[in-house]
PDB file of all heavy atoms in Angstrom:
ATOM      1  N   MET A 287     -68.590  45.468  32.670  1.00 79.00           N
ATOM      2  CA  MET A 287     -68.302  44.043  32.444  1.00 79.00           C
ATOM      3  C   MET A 287     -68.746  43.592  31.063  1.00 79.00           C
ATOM      4  O   MET A 287     -69.734  44.086  30.517  1.00 79.00           O
ATOM      5  CB  MET A 287     -69.044  43.189  33.477  1.00 79.00           C
ATOM      6  CG  MET A 287     -68.274  42.959  34.728  1.00 79.00           C
ATOM      7  SD  MET A 287     -69.226  41.898  35.807  1.00 79.00           S
ATOM      8  CE  MET A 287     -68.242  42.015  37.278  1.00 79.00           C
ATOM      9  N   GLU A 293     -68.088  36.730  35.994  1.00 83.00           N
ATOM     10  CA  GLU A 293     -68.553  37.613  37.066  1.00 83.00           C
ATOM     11  C   GLU A 293     -69.828  38.357  36.692  1.00 83.00           C
ATOM     12  O   GLU A 293     -70.528  38.870  37.565  1.00 83.00           O
ATOM     13  CB  GLU A 293     -67.454  38.634  37.411  1.00 83.00           C
ATOM     14  CG  GLU A 293     -66.309  38.060  38.223  1.00 83.00           C
ATOM     15  CD  GLU A 293     -66.746  37.714  39.631  1.00 83.00           C
ATOM     16  OE1 GLU A 293     -67.430  38.531  40.270  1.00 83.00           O
ATOM     17  OE2 GLU A 293     -66.425  36.614  40.087  1.00 83.00           O
ATOM     18  N   THR A 295     -72.780  37.320  35.481  1.00 83.00           N
ATOM     19  CA  THR A 295     -74.012  36.721  36.020  1.00 83.00           C
ATOM     20  C   THR A 295     -74.085  36.879  37.532  1.00 83.00           C
ATOM     21  O   THR A 295     -75.162  37.149  38.085  1.00 83.00           O
ATOM     22  CB  THR A 295     -74.072  35.215  35.667  1.00 83.00           C
ATOM     23  OG1 THR A 295     -73.909  35.068  34.256  1.00 83.00           O
ATOM     24  CG2 THR A 295     -75.391  34.612  36.075  1.00 83.00           C
ATOM     25  N   VAL A 296     -72.938  36.754  38.220  1.00 85.00           N
ATOM     26  CA  VAL A 296     -72.911  36.893  39.677  1.00 85.00           C
ATOM     27  C   VAL A 296     -73.355  38.302  40.082  1.00 85.00           C
ATOM     28  O   VAL A 296     -74.206  38.483  40.964  1.00 85.00           O
ATOM     29  CB  VAL A 296     -71.493  36.604  40.224  1.00 85.00           C
ATOM     30  CG1 VAL A 296     -71.411  36.888  41.719  1.00 85.00           C
ATOM     31  CG2 VAL A 296     -71.097  35.162  39.941  1.00 85.00           C
ATOM     32  N   THR A 297     -72.788  39.302  39.410  1.00 85.00           N
ATOM     33  CA  THR A 297     -73.122  40.702  39.734  1.00 85.00           C
ATOM     34  C   THR A 297     -74.568  41.010  39.382  1.00 85.00           C
ATOM     35  O   THR A 297     -75.278  41.702  40.125  1.00 85.00           O
ATOM     36  CB  THR A 297     -72.164  41.652  38.984  1.00 85.00           C
ATOM     37  OG1 THR A 297     -70.825  41.287  39.287  1.00 85.00           O
ATOM     38  CG2 THR A 297     -72.402  43.088  39.389  1.00 85.00           C
ATOM     39  N   ARG A 298     -75.020  40.494  38.225  1.00 85.00           N
ATOM     40  CA  ARG A 298     -76.410  40.745  37.804  1.00 85.00           C
ATOM     41  C   ARG A 298     -77.398  40.149  38.813  1.00 85.00           C
ATOM     42  O   ARG A 298     -78.383  40.790  39.196  1.00 85.00           O
ATOM     43  CB  ARG A 298     -76.654  40.151  36.416  1.00 85.00           C
ATOM     44  CG  ARG A 298     -78.022  40.487  35.844  1.00 85.00           C
ATOM     45  CD  ARG A 298     -78.281  39.716  34.553  1.00 85.00           C
ATOM     46  NE  ARG A 298     -79.589  40.042  34.026  1.00 85.00           N
ATOM     47  CZ  ARG A 298     -80.724  39.543  34.502  1.00 85.00           C
ATOM     48  NH1 ARG A 298     -80.708  38.712  35.515  1.00 85.00           N
ATOM     49  NH2 ARG A 298     -81.898  39.890  33.973  1.00 85.00           N
ATOM     50  N   ASN A 299     -77.133  38.912  39.255  1.00 86.00           N
ATOM     51  CA  ASN A 299     -78.014  38.273  40.237  1.00 86.00           C
ATOM     52  C   ASN A 299     -78.026  39.039  41.556  1.00 86.00           C
ATOM     53  O   ASN A 299     -79.068  39.170  42.203  1.00 86.00           O
ATOM     54  CB  ASN A 299     -77.573  36.823  40.494  1.00 86.00           C
ATOM     55  CG  ASN A 299     -77.843  35.927  39.300  1.00 86.00           C
ATOM     56  OD1 ASN A 299     -78.628  36.268  38.417  1.00 86.00           O
ATOM     57  ND2 ASN A 299     -77.181  34.777  39.257  1.00 86.00           N
ATOM     58  N   TYR A 300     -76.869  39.543  41.953  1.00 87.00           N
ATOM     59  CA  TYR A 300     -76.765  40.315  43.195  1.00 87.00           C
ATOM     60  C   TYR A 300     -77.604  41.592  43.113  1.00 87.00           C
ATOM     61  O   TYR A 300     -78.381  41.901  44.019  1.00 87.00           O
ATOM     62  CB  TYR A 300     -75.293  40.645  43.457  1.00 87.00           C
ATOM     63  CG  TYR A 300     -75.063  41.504  44.681  1.00 87.00           C
ATOM     64  CD1 TYR A 300     -75.347  41.021  45.953  1.00 87.00           C
ATOM     65  CD2 TYR A 300     -74.555  42.789  44.559  1.00 87.00           C
ATOM     66  CE1 TYR A 300     -75.136  41.805  47.085  1.00 87.00           C
ATOM     67  CE2 TYR A 300     -74.340  43.586  45.680  1.00 87.00           C
ATOM     68  CZ  TYR A 300     -74.634  43.085  46.933  1.00 87.00           C
ATOM     69  OH  TYR A 300     -74.433  43.861  48.038  1.00 87.00           O
ATOM     70  N   LEU A 301     -77.457  42.310  42.001  1.00 87.00           N
ATOM     71  CA  LEU A 301     -78.238  43.548  41.812  1.00 87.00           C
ATOM     72  C   LEU A 301     -79.728  43.231  41.724  1.00 87.00           C
ATOM     73  O   LEU A 301     -80.570  44.000  42.205  1.00 87.00           O
ATOM     74  CB  LEU A 301     -77.773  44.271  40.547  1.00 87.00           C
ATOM     75  CG  LEU A 301     -76.351  44.848  40.600  1.00 87.00           C
ATOM     76  CD1 LEU A 301     -75.926  45.356  39.234  1.00 87.00           C
ATOM     77  CD2 LEU A 301     -76.256  45.978  41.623  1.00 87.00           C
TER      78      LEU A 301
END
Side-chain angles (χ1 to χ4, degrees):
M287 271 182 189
E293 284 291 314
T295 306
V296 174
T297 306
R298 186 188 180 282
N299 290 342
Y300 177 66
L301 293 172

